[in-house]
C-alpha cells in the first residue's frame, strides 16, 4: 500500500491552479468560508433557541 506523498499533492495542486486560476480559487474559498460561518451562526442560534424553549416549558 502506497500513500500519497507530498510531491504528488504538489503536482495535483499545481494542476488545479493551472486549470481554474488563482482568482476563481480565491472566490471559491471566500464562498466556502462564508457558507461555513453562516452554518456555525445558524447552529449557535438554533442551540440558544432550543435552550430558551426548554426554559419556557419547564413545569413548576
Amino acid at each position: 500500500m502506497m500513500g500519497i506523498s507530498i510531491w504528488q499533492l504538489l503536482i495535483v495542486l499545481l494542476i488545479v491552479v493551472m486549470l481554474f486560476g488563482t482568482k476563481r480559487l480565491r472566490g471559491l474559498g471566500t464562498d466556502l468560508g462564508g457558507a461555513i460561518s453562516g452554518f456555525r451562526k445558524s447552529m449557535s442560534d438554533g442551540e440558544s433557541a432550543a435552550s430558551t424553549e426548554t426554559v419556557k416549558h419547564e413545569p413548576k
Side-chain angles (χ1 to χ4, degrees), residues 39-55:
F39 177 74
R40 286 182 180 169
K41 182 177 183 243
S42 66
M43 289 298 291
S44 65
D45 289 346
E47 288 176 359
S48 64
S51 65
T52 305
E53 289 177 7
T54 305
V55 172

Side-chain angles (χ1 to χ4, degrees), residues 25-35:
L25 289 176
R26 186 179 304 135
L28 180 66
T30 303
D31 293 343
L32 182 63

Side-chain angles (χ1 to χ4, degrees), residues 1 3-4 10 13 16 24 29-30 34 38 40-41 49 51 57-58:
M1 294 274 178
I4 297 175
L10 288 174
L13 179 65
V16 168
R24 183 181 280 177
T30 303
R40 286 182 180 169
K41 182 177 183 243
S51 65
H57 296 295
E58 286 183 359

Side-chain angles (χ1 to χ4, degrees), residues 1-5 8:
M1 294 274 178
M2 294 184 62
I4 297 175
S5 71
Q8 292 169 336

